[in-house]
Amino acid sequence: MDMKILIADDHPLFRDAMQSVVRRAVADSEIVICNDFSSAEQAIVNDQDFDLALLDLHMPDGDGYFGLIHLRNHFPTLPVVIVSGTDDPAVVKRCLGFGASGFVPKTLPPDEMIKAIGLILDGEIFLPENLKQAIDKIDEEDRAFAEKVATLTQQQYRVLCELNEGRLNKQIAYDLNISEATVKAHVTAIFKKLGVINRTQAVIAAQKLQFTSHLDDSKLQSD
């Protein structure tokens, strides 16, 4: 049976390597290559017949875990597998909590990647053996948080990022080329959607959606 598989990664060498792995895993597959999250999202919007998305979370337009949350919310039947340069258990656990169908470290040997793709296409969740014990269970708070985040629009997410940088409404309005009244409306909506009551709590929420500088990640939703 023909399979359509999306590979989204901004590193050409790794894209080529993953393409080779996918062809070995599913010989008759149709592969679509994207080098940023925006084009990956558009490819899925244009053709919703994909059987699997392999998503690198560290791309030029990446915004923390938003990309994963967005795809899982808008395309719930599409398995999204995170392919990452890190195998930090905390990051892996959060990805699974946010709806990933598996986590494939880029250091995983090709034969293991082939097995992983096969298992995921069969409907299973894949984790490398060395991470299974480190991740005893998925945090239900992450699942609930992801549901809230999925309701944010992209503009609201941008405002949230500005709040995280400590920017004032006037500064946010300038940065995003919108009015202060619009910023205030977005901030009010963000508070309501995330279930927070002030900027400090919103910043704490925003920090859940971003990796530290040595890790990876992705984006969210349009207005």
Side-chain angles (χ1 to χ4, degrees):
M1 180 172 60
D2 291 344
M3 292 276 186
K4 181 174 282 190
I5 297 175
L6 176 76
I7 298 174
D9 195 294
D10 65 319
H11 295 93
L13 290 178
F14 189 77
R15 285 201 305 269
D16 291 345
M18 280 304 301
Q19 192 168 0
S20 175
V21 165
V22 169
R23 292 206 184 283
R24 289 175 60 192
V26 189
D28 54 358
S29 59
E30 177 184 347
I31 301 173
V32 175
I33 303 292
C34 297
N35 61 8
D36 57 33
F37 179 80
S38 297
S39 59
E41 179 186 15
Q42 193 59 52
I44 296 169
V45 169
N46 291 342
D47 184 351
Q48 298 188 28
D49 289 332
F50 283 97
D51 297 285
L52 175 65
L54 299 169
L55 180 68
D56 175 21
L57 294 183
H58 186 57
M59 289 187 284
D61 59 348
D63 293 315
Y65 296 97
F66 265 118
L68 169 61
I69 292 172
H70 177 64
L71 293 183
R72 293 300 300 130
N73 180 64
H74 289 275
F75 311 99
T77 62
L78 173 65
V80 180
V81 176
I82 301 308
V83 183
S84 174
T86 180
D87 60 359
D88 184 302
V91 174
V92 178
K93 187 172 184 177
R94 180 147 284 171
C95 285
L96 295 181
F98 289 163
S101 295
F103 193 97
V104 177
K106 291 185 176 182
T107 54
L108 199 68
D111 287 348
E112 292 299 311
M113 288 188 180
I114 292 169
K115 291 179 184 178
I117 290 170
L119 288 171
I120 293 161
L121 288 173
D122 284 340
E124 298 187 36
I125 302 291
F126 174 81
L127 276 180
E129 288 296 329
N130 66 315
L131 289 174
K132 287 182 178 178
Q133 290 186 342
I135 301 169
D136 51 353
K137 64 178 181 178
I138 302 305
D139 192 337
E140 290 303 318
E141 287 186 8
D142 278 345
R143 291 193 191 279
F145 180 64
E147 291 176 2
K148 294 177 182 178
V149 169
T151 66
L152 294 177
T153 68
Q154 187 178 19
Q155 189 76 308
Q156 287 165 358
Y157 165 67
R158 289 171 180 156
V159 171
L160 180 59
C161 288
E162 293 272 335
L163 293 178
N164 191 40
E165 295 296 323
R167 308 285 280 174
L168 301 175
N169 285 358
K170 185 175 182 179
Q171 295 170 313
I172 296 172
Y174 178 82
D175 290 344
L176 301 183
N177 194 28
I178 56 179
S179 70
E180 282 192 64
T182 300
V183 173
K184 289 178 182 178
H186 282 319
V187 170
T188 299
I190 290 166
F191 287 2
K192 183 177 180 180
K193 289 180 177 182
L194 296 185
V196 301
I197 60 173
N198 55 43
R199 288 183 177 235
T200 299
Q201 291 182 356
V203 167
I204 292 171
Q207 290 171 352
K208 283 186 177 183
L209 296 163
Q210 299 175 1
F211 282 149
T212 54
S213 59
H214 68 286
L215 301 177
D216 295 321
D217 247 306
S218 211
K219 174 177 171 197
L220 178 69
Q221 170 179 343
S222 299
D223 287 310

